[in-house]
Amino acid sequence: MSFTSPFAASTAKAGYGSIKLSILPPDKPVLRDVSYQYPLKLVAPDPLPPPEERTNSHAPRLVHTVFLLTYGGGIVAGDAINLSVSLEDRTRLVLLTQGSTKIFKTPDPSLVSRQHMEVELAASAALVYLPDPVQPFAQTAFSQSQIYHVEGEKSSLCACDWVTSGRSARGENWNIHEYKSRNEVWTSDQSGKKRLLLRDNLILDKHGRTGLQLSERMDGYSVFGTLILRGPAFSSLAQYFMDEFEALPRIGGRDWGDSAPLEPSPHEQRRVQRQTREKRAGLVWSAANVRGFTLIKFASREVEGSRNFLRDMIADEGSIVACFGERALLCLK
Amino acid sequence: MSANVLSNRDTNAQMKSASPQKKADKPEPKSLDAHRQELASRLKENETTQQYVSPSDSIQSPATQKLSAFRNKQISKKSKPQTLFKTTSSKKIESAKGTAMFADLPKTIQITKNGEANTEPYQQSLKDEIAQLERRLQDAKSRLKVADNPATSLQSTSDAALHALLLLADSALPLGSFAFSSGLESYLAHHKPSPPSASQLPSFHVFLSLSLSTLASTALPYVLAGYRNPADIETLDNDLDASTPCTVARRASIAQGRALLTVWERSYKAQYSSTAAKISGDDSSPTQGSAAAEALVSFSSALRKSDLINAHLAPLWGLVTCVLDVPLRDAAYLFLFSHARTVVSAAVRASVMGPYQAQAELASMELQDRIRGLVEEGWNRKVEDSGQSVPVMDLWVGRHEKLYSRIFNS
């Protein structure tokens, strides 16, 4: 191979990691740097050519995948993970996890585990970050932040951030001390002044003066998530979400049977089937176009409900699979 | 006649608090004599002068004694009132000062306890009272002097703040808020009562507390920041816009923010920008209010030119209250209270409750405590740390668009 060993440790700080994806002229994307320190571990399998390569001459020849792992499959109290990712122009990266990120019990609520990810997206770069959900166990304190810096309108981003109520099999239902998750997208103008494009900050803690337990505040849902879509690589997927949201049956409306076409198209049949599954799983979702982003918020009674919803929608639409390969949906299987 | 009625009442009220005295007396029968003596003298006094004071007023258990001595100290201390209606409440105390209040009485007891005036306790108390009254007279005189100079008067500025607060507390403001239920309508549609006739009131209570919590965690930091840093208004507006994840909430916030800006321009500006200029001219250094007024002017002109500016309600609320010179704590309290009032009034129109019950909700101690607590909690929260504390709220608000029938815009 023409690139240096990805295992050369350039960072010495515990929990630090770095991923750099660049283009080797003329057009070969390579992982220039994959370094990490305990307790973080990065695994980069061989890149695969995207299925669409033959049809689209602009697509990069290879799509890289990196798995974010932690020793022990989770984050122990007091751990701090700090990952920086940078994608050069015309590169594509898929970031995944292997199984849900477990957050382990903390001896003291003030001891907060942290995970921080800083992503630089050059123009025309595209990132798919579809991890498994974060699973904070009872009595945990966790705070994570994903900060994306995009360049212009053409940087594409598909990032999912979802969290579950804990080990439901053990009766855990949001028995956490604290959970914070922050997603921010920034850009800078010509003068170098930073501007916030999007902030999605979830704060679950004891504040709020509601007089309610955290589990009551959640209205019976045990999974909450946000999917952020932006840029040309995901515009068709974003449009698909918006269309499907528009096609949701009205809440409180009655079906008199006169609006249904006599012979539903295969697409409409799939839609009806999916909506039936969503209803059974107690899944609710909403989609909105905000400031050049499409934000999808979803919640369900069980993890599988949300997982199936995401997989159905993304696979039905098909553009992610076409541009990034089947691997991109590994965490939703 | 009224004096008699009052004295009767007083006796009853005081007797209650004095009841623990019996227990406390037991180990010390000697003090009973003193009390008896005092009682007799007070009785005589009462017959002749027809004072409101009941003889038993002065009988107090040691614990009550200490408590009222402490209270006395607190009241006679010239405290700076922090409440919404500071002038009225301070006036009340002022007018009550002439009469014999609970605060005056413990003095006599303290002396009897010392034992030095056991024989003539009442005389001593009178002397004490005279001294206190003299002190108050002096106090009032000195305050009158201050009040004569209106430019520096504390009284008039706090009156102005109260006036501005009452202006902003109008139920018409934020203009157009009647069109928004802040997710209540969608929430009710998602929580149909199991027999359709069952009351939706319990679930409304849950919603109100969640909605206030959300507002305090997402928008309140922007109110505080808008007030404290008027110059940052454009950044604050942009950041709040970036943090509002759904179209419905965004629409509601922008509509109300623009309405507030229009109210400022058309109705308040003429009055308040001149006062702000006058004050800053006197001080020869720009006050916060005039800086805010400038920021407001440049913001509203920038709004017409730029597509990037949205005019969300929260930072503008902070800015406008700053210009109107409302104390920040009151401004934050009013912001949350207005929201609660909007939601409650939406509940009336969504036939969750009747108008009387709605007023009871707004008057409830629970709501007061909650709002005060939320202001306290959010006081030092930075705008970067604002975020959604009730994730399902985003879904309810976002899914409002999917309701079959709607009477609100959010």
Side-chain angles (χ1 to χ4, degrees):
Chain A
M1 295 296 264
S2 54
F3 56 90
T4 53
S5 162
F7 301 104
S10 64
T11 54
K13 278 193 198 159
Y16 274 67
S18 143
I19 301 169
K20 286 202 178 79
L21 188 60
S22 2
I23 292 278
L24 186 73
D27 60 351
K28 187 179 182 188
V30 290
L31 275 172
R32 176 190 291 234
D33 177 26
V34 176
S35 61
Y36 52 86
Q37 279 293 323
Y38 179 89
L40 175 69
K41 188 173 163 77
L42 302 174
V43 172
D46 283 342
L48 297 175
E52 53 144 21
E53 196 202 6
R54 277 165 237 106
T55 56
N56 184 352
S57 57
H58 292 292
R61 282 171 47 201
L62 293 170
V63 173
H64 284 82
T65 305
V66 175
F67 287 90
L68 310 177
L69 310 175
T70 42
Y71 286 90
I75 294 177
V76 183
D79 272 359
I81 284 176
N82 211 321
L83 177 67
S84 73
V85 181
S86 99
L87 267 63
E88 272 187 15
D89 201 3
R90 289 181 292 121
T91 56
R92 285 179 185 173
L93 179 67
V94 177
L95 272 180
L96 298 171
T97 54
Q98 279 195 333
S100 61
T101 306
K102 290 137 193 92
I103 313 296
F104 295 109
K105 182 177 163 182
T106 176
D108 184 76
S110 62
L111 182 65
V112 182
S113 322
R114 291 171 200 283
Q115 178 168 314
H116 178 73
M117 187 165 91
E118 196 98 16
V119 182
E120 299 275 350
L121 285 169
S124 307
L127 172 73
V128 172
Y129 180 41
L130 287 173
D132 287 285
V134 178
Q135 190 183 14
F137 292 174
Q139 299 164 43
T140 53
F142 180 62
S143 161
Q144 69 171 357
S145 51
Q146 287 77 234
I147 315 291
Y148 306 93
H149 301 271
V150 297
E151 201 178 289
E153 299 293 313
K154 293 212 159 163
S155 315
S156 301
L157 174 67
C158 163
C160 182
D161 176 18
W162 44 327
V163 58
T164 76
S165 60
R167 289 168 288 189
S168 48
R170 294 185 52 141
E172 291 180 1
N173 188 19
W174 305 106
N175 304 112
I176 50 180
H177 292 308
E178 177 185 315
Y179 175 84
K180 289 181 184 167
S181 181
R182 169 195 296 273
N183 294 287
E184 285 177 4
V185 185
W186 293 82
T187 189
S188 4
D189 55 17
Q190 284 86 359
S191 60
K193 199 181 161 217
K194 274 170 67 174
R195 178 161 172 266
L196 183 67
L197 292 179
L198 184 80
R199 176 180 285 149
D200 177 64
N201 196 6
L202 175 64
I203 303 168
L204 304 179
D205 56 17
K206 303 274 186 281
H207 293 303
R209 306 273 163 157
T210 51
L212 299 173
Q213 294 282 318
L214 207 48
S215 53
E216 293 169 88
R217 236 199 266 174
M218 300 310 206
D219 199 39
Y221 293 104
S222 51
V223 185
F224 279 98
T226 308
L227 180 69
I228 301 167
L229 299 174
R230 179 193 198 261
F234 306 109
S235 59
S236 66
L237 178 64
Q239 192 52 47
Y240 185 73
F241 269 105
M242 291 307 294
D243 291 345
E244 289 301 305
F245 183 61
E246 199 45 51
L248 276 182
R250 293 272 172 174
I251 302 162
R254 294 214 186 145
D255 186 11
W256 303 103
D258 52 357
S259 57
L262 294 174
E263 278 184 32
S265 67
H267 174 67
E268 280 163 340
Q269 280 176 346
R270 271 210 308 279
R271 173 186 291 162
V272 170
Q273 284 166 7
R274 200 195 64 242
Q275 286 171 353
T276 322
R277 281 199 299 274
E278 284 172 12
K279 199 166 185 188
R280 214 181 306 127
L283 181 122
V284 291
W285 65 286
S286 74
N289 270 327
V290 198
R291 295 161 68 95
F293 292 83
T294 301
L295 269 176
I296 294 103
K297 298 243 167 202
F298 54 89
S300 65
R301 311 264 170 222
E302 301 288 336
V303 188
E304 289 315 309
S306 291
R307 201 188 292 273
N308 293 341
F309 161 72
L310 287 176
R311 191 198 50 230
D312 288 351
M313 292 292 281
I314 293 174
D316 279 358
E317 194 272 330
S319 68
I320 286 198
V321 177
C323 301
F324 294 85
E326 285 282 348
R327 238 189 220 169
L329 301 186
L330 263 184
C331 293
L332 305 177
K333 287 270 153 63
Chain B
M1 179 207 154
S2 64
N4 279 335
V5 172
L6 275 173
S7 73
N8 273 340
R9 257 190 174 172
D10 256 12
T11 316
N12 285 341
Q14 295 282 353
M15 280 302 278
K16 253 188 193 171
S17 65
S19 60
Q21 167 68 15
K22 278 176 188 166
K23 279 180 213 161
D25 254 358
K26 271 175 196 166
E28 219 183 294
K30 197 177 81 184
S31 66
L32 200 70
D33 259 71
H35 285 306
R36 213 170 268 151
Q37 210 170 17
E38 190 188 324
L39 206 132
S41 71
R42 290 296 288 258
L43 247 175
K44 248 183 261 164
E45 201 71 27
N46 216 28
E47 275 166 13
T48 52
T49 58
Q50 284 242 330
Q51 254 191 335
Y52 294 168
V53 186
S54 143
S56 54
D57 278 0
S58 46
I59 306 177
Q60 284 178 322
S61 79
T64 322
Q65 238 179 76
K66 279 203 170 167
L67 274 176
S68 46
F70 177 70
R71 212 180 300 160
N72 187 25
K73 210 171 103 194
Q74 290 302 316
I75 285 184
S76 55
K77 201 196 286 174
K78 220 183 105 185
S79 61
K80 218 170 137 193
Q82 293 289 322
T83 52
L84 259 168
F85 303 102
K86 51 176 101 170
T87 45
T88 40
S89 59
S90 67
K91 263 180 203 158
K92 209 181 274 172
I93 290 171
E94 219 59 44
S95 63
K97 269 174 182 171
T99 64
M101 289 204 316
F102 61 93
D104 297 327
L105 296 166
K107 292 275 174 190
T108 67
I109 303 296
Q110 268 170 347
I111 289 148
T112 47
K113 202 189 169 193
N114 290 343
E116 60 178 57
N118 244 356
T119 47
E120 296 172 314
Y122 192 62
Q123 205 177 358
Q124 184 60 42
S125 84
L126 276 178
K127 275 183 196 168
D128 230 47
E129 205 173 318
I130 290 168
Q132 207 169 359
L133 283 173
E134 273 174 351
R135 215 169 47 234
R136 277 181 190 159
L137 184 66
Q138 272 185 334
D139 222 41
K141 274 182 182 165
S142 67
R143 240 175 299 159
L144 187 68
K145 265 183 209 163
V146 175
D148 278 342
N149 184 0
T152 55
S153 153
L154 209 129
Q155 195 82 3
S156 76
T157 51
S158 73
D159 268 350
L162 176 65
H163 191 87
L165 199 67
L166 291 174
L167 273 180
L168 293 170
D170 192 320
S171 64
L173 289 176
L175 275 192
S177 62
F178 62 84
F180 306 103
S181 76
S182 311
L184 173 68
E185 191 177 26
S186 175
Y187 170 81
L188 294 174
H190 283 87
H191 294 80
K192 287 274 177 224
S194 50
S197 57
S199 167
Q200 291 178 302
L201 201 58
S203 55
F204 169 76
H205 282 134
V206 173
F207 178 82
L208 182 61
S209 66
L210 294 182
S211 181
L212 277 173
S213 158
T214 293
L215 191 76
S217 69
T218 54
L220 186 62
Y222 287 92
V223 174
L224 300 175
Y227 191 105
R228 289 169 181 154
N229 313 310
D232 293 347
I233 179 75
E234 286 187 27
T235 321
L236 290 173
D237 183 63
N238 172 63
D239 289 5
L240 182 58
D241 193 54
S243 314
T244 310
C246 68
T247 4
V248 182
R250 197 164 162 259
R251 200 165 54 206
S253 174
I254 291 178
Q256 297 179 55
R258 292 196 175 201
L260 182 65
L261 200 60
T262 315
V263 170
W264 155 257
E265 280 187 337
R266 293 198 188 165
S267 319
Y268 301 159
K269 193 176 176 182
Q271 177 58 37
Y272 281 95
S273 52
S274 60
T275 14
K278 198 182 79 195
I279 290 169
S280 74
D282 288 351
D283 291 353
S284 76
S285 66
T287 60
Q288 200 178 14
S290 66
E294 274 168 35
L296 205 49
V297 169
S298 66
F299 181 76
S300 67
S301 66
L303 176 65
R304 294 197 189 89
K305 287 177 219 147
S306 168
D307 295 336
L308 295 174
I309 293 177
N310 300 285
H312 280 276
L313 175 63
L316 278 175
W317 182 268
L319 201 56
V320 168
T321 49
C322 180
V323 177
L324 302 196
D325 217 9
V326 176
L328 179 52
R329 210 170 276 272
D330 295 348
Y333 191 98
L334 182 57
F335 181 71
L336 292 175
F337 177 78
S338 304
H339 178 76
R341 190 189 52 211
T342 307
V343 173
V344 166
S345 112
V348 174
R349 281 169 289 153
S351 51
V352 175
M353 59 170 86
Y356 289 111
Q357 204 165 8
Q359 290 306 313
E361 293 288 339
L362 289 178
S364 70
M365 204 59 210
E366 199 192 342
L367 184 70
Q368 290 185 36
D369 284 343
R370 177 165 297 143
I371 294 180
R372 206 172 299 124
L374 286 171
V375 171
E376 214 53 56
E377 240 174 37
W379 193 250
N380 291 319
R381 195 192 283 252
K382 287 186 233 132
V383 281
E384 299 83 52
D385 295 328
S386 66
Q388 182 56 270
S389 59
V390 186
V392 68
M393 188 63 76
D394 282 339
L395 284 162
W396 291 330
V397 176
R399 284 166 66 85
H400 184 267
E401 288 181 286
K402 299 308 301 176
L403 296 188
Y404 182 74
S405 58
R406 281 172 283 182
I407 53 176
F408 295 103
N409 271 336
S410 88

